[in-house]
C-alpha cells in the first residue's frame, strides 16, 4: 500500500503533510490518473494516524481537483492535465454529493434541472443583503445577543404584518405570527399545538413531503383528491380528516386555484367541529403573473379556523430558511401557554436583516423585479415551445402563476421512460404523476416545467432537449 | 374619543400620518403624561382604518419613547421630559416584552440577571463575523443559492469534525454529523429516528425544558436522580427508560462530572438492549476552567450507542441557532433513508460563515479568549464573595467548569422568598431547587450564579445585592 514517512514533517500538521505529499506525487506522476487511492480507514491504519486526518487531506485534494471520489467506490487520482479548465466548485460539488446520496434535487452541474425550484444566484439581492447585515452587526450588537421571543423578533413580525396588509390585504396582529426555520419545522409546532390524535387531510396530488412529515410525526394522513375547484369537499365531508393542509391560492403542481364556492364550503366544513382546522399554505402567492393576487382564505375566516403559512423560500431563497405562520388567537394563546419555552429557530442576525429588508422597501422592489423577470422567462419559454416541433403535440396549462407550468404531451412513452430519457439528455424533469398518492387518479404525459432556476441563454437548449426526449 | 382627520394627509401613509399627529399632540402637551390612549381596535374603528395601522403608529411611538404599553392594560403617553436621558433600546424592550409574556428569561434592562446564560455583546467576535459573512456573500453566490444536504453543508460538518478531533480528541466521520437550528430541533429528529414508543430518562435535577420537549412530542419521561458520580445507574437499571438524555461532562445545574466507573455502567446498560441509547449533551465542554477537558462518553462507545450533541450557544451565542449531533452509523443510515427529505434548518449563509470561522482558526482563538475571560470573571466574583459578609455564611461549589457556580447559603429564608427578595433588589436569580422534578430530593438555599452575561464593573453591586437578599 501507498505509504509515507512523517519523519520530515517539520512544522506541518499531519493533515497538511499528508496532503502535500500526495499532491507532490500526483504532480510528479508517481501516482497516475485514475489510480485508486487507499480507503480512508486502511490508509489511516497503515500510517498510524486518524481517519479524520486522511479524510481532511483527501477533502482538500478533492477541493483542489487533484483527486476525485466515486460514491461507494472510493478515491481516485484525477487527470491533472484537465485541472486548470475545470471550475473549483465542480469538485466541491462532487465531494459534497457523497454526503447526500438521498437528496434527489441535487444533480450534477452539467444537468439542467426542471424539477427544482431553487432560485438562481443572479436573482438574489446579494449587495443589499450584505449591506443590511453589515448595518445590523454594526448597530445592534446588544440586541443581537439577547434571546429573542419564542415566536420571533417583534421587528420582523411587525414588518411581515405590515407587508401582508400592504400586499395581501391581510389584517394580521403581529402577536399572532410565529417565525420558524422553514415551514417543515412549523408543521411540527402545529402538530404539538393541535395534538397528535387527529387525522390530517392532504391534497392528492400534492407535495409528497407534507404527508412524509406528518407520518414521521406519527400522524395519520388522508388523501383528498382535487376537482377543478380545489379539494373535493364532498369527499372531505364524508371522510375522517380533522385538519386539512391545502394551498388554495395556487396548488402545486396542478396550479388549481380554489374557487370562491369551495372556499366557503371549506370554511363550513371547518365550522362543523371544534377540532377542525385548515392549514393554508400560501407558498408562492407573490408570483401570480397575470391578474390580481388571489385573496387568502384567512381573509374570509371569521371563526379562528385558518392557520396561514408562508415562507421566503420562493420570494427570496430557500437557503435562508425563514418561514412564518399566523395562528388564530386562541391557538396563539395556547402556544404562549404551552410551547413558548422553545427558542426561536431563526438566527437573530437574519431576522433583523430580513426585517429591514422588508420595512425599508427592498422586499417589495425585489418581488416586483422577480415577477417581471419570471414573466419574461416564462414568455420566452412558451415562445420557444411554440416555435419548436413540440408545439404540435403539446398543450400548456396553468402558466399564469407560480414558478412552473405544465406541459401535456402526446407521446407513446411512459412517464418513467420520459424521465429516464431526459436524464440521458442532461435534463432532470418531474411529471405530474410523481405527485399522486393514488395512481388511478394520475394523469400520464404531463411534464412540470419549473423555470425559476433556469437561465435565458439555456432556453433553446432546453427545448431542443425536450423535443429529443419526447420523440 | 381621540380623533384625527386624514384630510391633510398629503403624501404620507395612514400610519405615518397617525404617528406624526400623535407625536405632535404629545410634544404640544395636548396629550398629557400617563394619559391612556384608545385601544388599537377601538381607535381603528373610530378612524375607519385598520388596526395594523394603529399598531404600527403605536409601535413607532413606543420605539421612540413617546408612549409606553402595560401588558394587558393598554397604551399610555410617556412623560417626554424624561425621554432624552433614556436609551432607545429600553423602549424597544418594553415594546417587545408584551409579545413574550411567557418568556421568563427576559427581564428589564435595569435588573441584573444571574439566571440567564446569554453572552454579553462585548464578547461576540462581531468584526470577524462581519468580515467572514461579507466574504461568503461576495465569493460564494452560486453555492449560497443551492439547496444544502439535509444534514448540513459538507464544509461545516468537516470543520466541526476537525475541531472535535483537535480539541476534544473525537474521531468523527463528518458524514455522521447533522446540523440543526438548535438542540431543541435536533431532539425532535432523534424522536422521529428512534421512535415514539420508548421511555426517555432525563436527569433530576436537570433542565426542565428537556422533559417539556419530550412531553410535547408525546414521549413519556422517567426522571433519574443523580449520585455524586452522575446518574444513578442502580435506579436506571431497575427503571423503564429505553433512552437516556444526560450531560456527563458537566451536569447542569449541579456541575457533577460523571465518573469513569459510571460511564462504563452507562455503556453496559446501553448494551443490554438494542433499543437502548444514550444522548450525550456536551453543551459547555469548551469551558472547563481548570485541568484537562473531560473526554466525551462518545469516545469510549464501541457499540454505536451514543448520540453526541453540542451547540455553539455557549461558545458563540445562543442567538445564532446552530447546533449539531453525531449519530451512530446505523442511525445515520436510517436518517438518510427515512428523514433526509427534511431541508436543513440552518441558513446556508450562516453555515458557510461558521465553517470559515472554525477552519480559519478564529473559533479556537475565541474559545481560548473566552475561557480566560470567564476564569477572570469567576475569580473576581469569588474574590468579592470572600471579602463580603457572605463569606461567613456560604459555601462555593462546582466553580471549575461551565459558566456558573453554586452558592450554598446558610439562611432562614425559603428559596421562594430568596428569589422574591432578589427581584425587589433588582437581581434575577435561580436556585438549585428550581431544577428538581422530585421536590423531596431537592436542596434548599443553593443559588445558581450564571456569570456569562454579567459585567466586571457590576460585580461589587451584585455581591452587595446578594448580601441584602440573604440577610
Amino acid at each position: 500500500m501507498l505509504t509515507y514517512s512523517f519523519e520530515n514533517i517539520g512544522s506541518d500538521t499531519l493533515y497538511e503533510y499528508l496532503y502535500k505529499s500526495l499532491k507532490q506525487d500526483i504532480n510528479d506522476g508517481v501516482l497516475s490518473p485514475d489510480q485508486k487511492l487507499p480507503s480512508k480507514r486502511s490508509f489511516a491504519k497503515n500510517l498510524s494516524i486518524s481517519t479524520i486526518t486522511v479524510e481532511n487531506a483527501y477533502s482538500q485534494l478533492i477541493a483542489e481537483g487533484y483527486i476525485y471520489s466515486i460514491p461507494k467506490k472510493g478515491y481516485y487520482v484525477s487527470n491533472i492535465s484537465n485541472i486548470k479548465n475545470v471550475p473549483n466548485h465542480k469538485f466541491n460539488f462532487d465531494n459534497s454529493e457523497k454526503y447526500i446520496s438521498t437528496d434527489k434535487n441535487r444533480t450534477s452541474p452539467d444537468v439542467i434541472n426542471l424539477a427544482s425550484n431553487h432560485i438562481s444566484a443572479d436573482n438574489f439581492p446579494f449587495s443589499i443583503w450584505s449591506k443590511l447585515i453589515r448595518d445590523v452587526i454594526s448597530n445592534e450588537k446588544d440586541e443581537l445577543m439577547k434571546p429573542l421571543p419564542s415566536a420571533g423578533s417583534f421587528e420582523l413580525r411587525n414588518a411581515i404584518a405590515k407587508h401582508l396588509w400592504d400586499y395581501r390585504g391581510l389584517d394580521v396582529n403581529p402577536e399572532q405570527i410565529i417565525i420558524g426555520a422553514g415551514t417543515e419545522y412549523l408543521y411540527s409546532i402545529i402538530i404539538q399545538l393541535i395534538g397528535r390524535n387527529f387525522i390530517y387531510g392532504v391534497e392528492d396530488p400534492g407535495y409528497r413531503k407534507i404527508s412524509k412529515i406528518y407520518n414521521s410525526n406519527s400522524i395519520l394522513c388522508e388523501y383528498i383528491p382535487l376537482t377543478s375547484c380545489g379539494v373535493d369537499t364532498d369527499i372531505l365531508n364524508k371522510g375522517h380528516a380533522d385538519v386539512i393542509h391545502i394551498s388554495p391560492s395556487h396548488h402545486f403542481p396542478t396550479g388549481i386555484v380554489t374557487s370562491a364556492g369551495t372556499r366557503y364550503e371549506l370554511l363550513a366544513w371547518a365550522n362543523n367541529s371544534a377540532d377542525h382546522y385548515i392549514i393554508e399554505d400560501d407558498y408562492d402567492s407573490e408570483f401570480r403573473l397575470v391578474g390580481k393576487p388571489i385573496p387568502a382564505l384567512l381573509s374570509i375566516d371569521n371563526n379562528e379556523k385558518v392557520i396561514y403559512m408562508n415562507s421566503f423560500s420562493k420570494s427570496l431563497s430557500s437557503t435562508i430558511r425563514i418561514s412564518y405562520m399566523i395562528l388564530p388567537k386562541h391557538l396563539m394563546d395556547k402556544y404562549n401557554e404551552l410551547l413558548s419555552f422553545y427558542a426561536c429557530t431563526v438566527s437573530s442576525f437574519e431576522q433583523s436583516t430580513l426585517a429591514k429588508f422588508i420595512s425599508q422597501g427592498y422586499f417589495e422592489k425585489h418581488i416586483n423585479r422577480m415577477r417581471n423577470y419570471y414573466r419574461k422567462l416564462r414568455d420566452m419559454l412558451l415562445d420557444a415551445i411554440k416555435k419548436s416541433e413540440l408545439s404540435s403535440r403539446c398543450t400548456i396549462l396553468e402558466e399564469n402563476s407560480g414558478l412552473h407550468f405544465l406541459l401535456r404531451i402526446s407521446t407513446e412513452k411512459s412517464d418513467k421512460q420520459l424521465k429516464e430519457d431526459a436524464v440521458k439528455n442532461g435534463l432532470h424533469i418531474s411529471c405530474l404523476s410523481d405527485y399522486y398518492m393514488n395512481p388511478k387518479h394520475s394523469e400520464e404525459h404531463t411534464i412540470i416545467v419549473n423555470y425559476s432556476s433556469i437561465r435565458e441563454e439555456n432556453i433553446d437548449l432546453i427545448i431542443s432537449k425536450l423535443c429529443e426526449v419526447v420523440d
Side-chain angles (χ1 to χ4, degrees), chain A:
Chain A
M1 189 193 280
L2 189 63
T3 194
Y4 292 103
S5 148
F6 289 93
E7 267 175 29
N8 303 314
I9 185 166
S11 64
D12 279 350
T13 62
L14 284 173
Y15 134 75
E16 282 167 339
Y17 187 77
L18 182 61
Y19 150 75
K20 284 180 187 169
S21 305
L22 284 162
K23 189 163 155 179
Q24 187 71 44
D25 281 354
I26 295 168
N27 276 323
D28 293 351
V30 177
L31 296 168
S32 34
D34 301 319
Q35 182 178 337
K36 192 169 195 296
L37 292 166
S39 78
K40 287 176 286 178
R41 291 199 184 268
S42 59
F43 205 14
K45 202 171 167 192
N46 191 43
L47 300 175
S48 302
I49 58 178
S50 86
T51 51
I52 189 84
T53 304
V54 180
E55 169 92 38
N56 285 328
Y58 278 7
S59 295
Q60 187 64 38
L61 291 165
I62 287 175
E64 296 181 16
Y66 284 91
I67 67 171
Y68 62 96
S69 78
I70 300 179
K72 292 181 185 165
K73 289 209 163 166
Y75 296 86
Y76 297 84
V77 177
S78 300
N79 187 343
I80 53 164
S81 60
N82 297 332
I83 283 189
K84 284 175 195 104
N85 301 320
V86 180
N88 235 341
H89 73 89
K90 172 148 187 185
F91 291 102
N92 278 319
F93 194 89
D94 281 354
N95 179 258
S96 61
E97 197 164 38
K98 84 186 154 87
Y99 292 90
I100 47 154
S101 54
T102 54
D103 186 337
K104 296 194 185 71
N105 281 329
R106 206 165 176 106
T107 52
S108 115
D110 297 332
V111 170
I112 294 175
N113 195 342
L114 299 181
S116 155
N117 46 26
H118 82 261
I119 77 156
S120 118
D122 304 340
N123 290 321
F124 187 86
F126 283 109
S127 61
I128 289 159
W129 195 262
S130 184
K131 176 198 169 301
L132 291 176
I133 206 159
R134 209 162 54 228
D135 291 352
V136 163
I137 291 177
S138 299
N139 304 328
E140 302 184 6
K141 295 184 171 60
D142 280 330
E143 287 302 314
L144 288 174
M145 292 296 109
K146 279 186 196 144
L148 287 176
S150 171
S153 85
F154 168 73
E155 187 190 10
L156 178 56
R157 287 148 78 197
N158 208 30
I160 289 171
K162 189 165 181 320
H163 168 77
L164 287 171
W165 172 250
D166 291 344
Y167 301 99
R168 204 83 182 79
L170 285 173
D171 185 358
V172 171
N173 183 342
E175 292 180 55
Q176 284 164 237
I177 296 176
I178 296 181
I179 310 290
T183 44
E184 300 171 5
Y185 170 74
L186 292 173
Y187 299 164
S188 80
I189 295 293
I190 293 178
I191 294 166
Q192 292 175 60
L193 202 56
I194 295 183
R196 220 169 282 279
N197 297 320
F198 295 110
I199 294 172
Y200 283 58
V202 295
E203 298 163 321
D204 185 22
Y207 270 120
R208 292 233 177 152
K209 214 183 202 183
I210 293 171
S211 52
K212 271 190 187 172
I213 291 170
Y214 287 125
N215 294 157
S216 278
N217 282 283
S218 311
I219 299 278
L220 284 179
C221 286
E222 193 166 85
Y223 297 98
I224 321 251
L226 299 181
T227 71
S228 60
C229 298
V231 290
D232 189 323
T233 49
D234 283 345
I235 293 180
L236 176 67
N237 278 311
K238 285 176 200 149
H240 306 94
D242 300 291
V243 179
I244 50 166
H245 188 128
I246 56 177
S247 44
S249 294
H250 184 234
H251 176 262
F252 189 88
T254 67
I256 290 169
V257 175
T258 301
S259 70
T262 301
R263 285 165 189 254
Y264 285 102
E265 284 165 24
L266 286 167
L267 291 173
W269 166 85
N271 290 327
N272 276 343
S273 160
D275 293 338
H276 284 184
Y277 288 102
I278 300 170
I279 299 169
E280 174 176 30
D281 195 339
D282 206 30
Y283 67 101
D284 72 352
S285 57
E286 293 84 359
F287 296 114
R288 186 147 183 90
L289 304 181
V290 173
K292 286 178 68 173
I294 312 294
L297 190 56
L298 178 65
S299 66
I300 54 167
D301 167 33
N302 295 317
N303 294 296
E304 305 196 2
K305 284 299 186 183
V306 174
I307 296 167
Y308 175 96
M309 310 197 83
N310 207 332
S311 87
F312 295 91
S313 288
K314 306 275 186 234
S315 50
L316 265 175
S317 167
S318 64
T319 57
I320 63 161
R321 309 306 307 149
I322 309 184
S323 298
Y324 60 94
M325 63 178 168
I326 303 164
L327 292 181
K329 186 167 180 316
H330 71 283
L331 283 183
M332 192 68 204
D333 291 344
K334 193 172 169 189
Y335 177 88
N336 285 327
E337 191 191 331
L338 300 179
L339 297 179
S340 60
F341 63 81
Y342 277 115
C344 186
T345 43
V346 180
S347 146
S348 57
F349 290 67
E350 295 201 332
Q351 289 198 47
S352 190
T353 304
L354 179 57
K356 280 159 191 67
F357 188 78
I358 299 171
S359 64
Q360 294 177 18
Y362 296 114
F363 187 53
E364 182 197 351
K365 277 183 206 145
H366 176 69
I367 287 178
N368 288 337
R369 192 173 68 82
M370 292 309 295
R371 204 185 284 120
N372 290 330
Y373 170 82
Y374 288 133
R375 193 184 291 120
K376 188 175 155 213
L377 203 59
R378 176 201 64 172
D379 290 346
M380 290 172 76
L381 262 170
L382 296 181
D383 204 47
I385 291 171
K386 273 182 203 127
K387 287 181 183 148
S388 76
E389 293 163 21
L390 271 180
S391 68
S392 61
R393 44 198 297 200
C394 79
T395 319
I396 290 156
L397 302 162
E398 305 298 346
E399 72 272 30
N400 287 333
S401 187
L403 308 176
H404 75 279
F405 57 81
L406 303 179
L407 201 59
R408 188 168 294 155
I409 290 171
S410 147
T411 177
E412 298 293 306
K413 289 185 186 175
S414 70
D415 284 3
K416 185 164 175 285
Q417 192 64 50
L418 281 174
K419 285 183 283 182
E420 282 173 10
D421 291 353
V423 169
K424 283 179 203 148
N425 275 280
L427 208 56
H428 188 53
I429 61 168
S430 60
C431 292
L432 195 52
S433 54
D434 297 332
Y435 292 86
Y436 277 86
M437 292 307 297
N438 191 336
K440 81 174 179 204
H441 297 141
S442 165
E443 278 175 276
E444 288 266 303
H445 311 146
T446 307
I447 296 173
I448 300 167
V449 182
N450 290 286
Y451 52 82
S452 62
S453 64
I454 69 173
R455 290 168 183 273
E456 273 181 41
E457 61 266 31
N458 285 336
I459 287 180
D460 289 338
L461 180 66
I462 290 168
I463 302 304
S464 78
K465 278 171 188 281
L466 271 177
C467 289
E468 286 173 45
V469 170
V470 168
D471 247 355

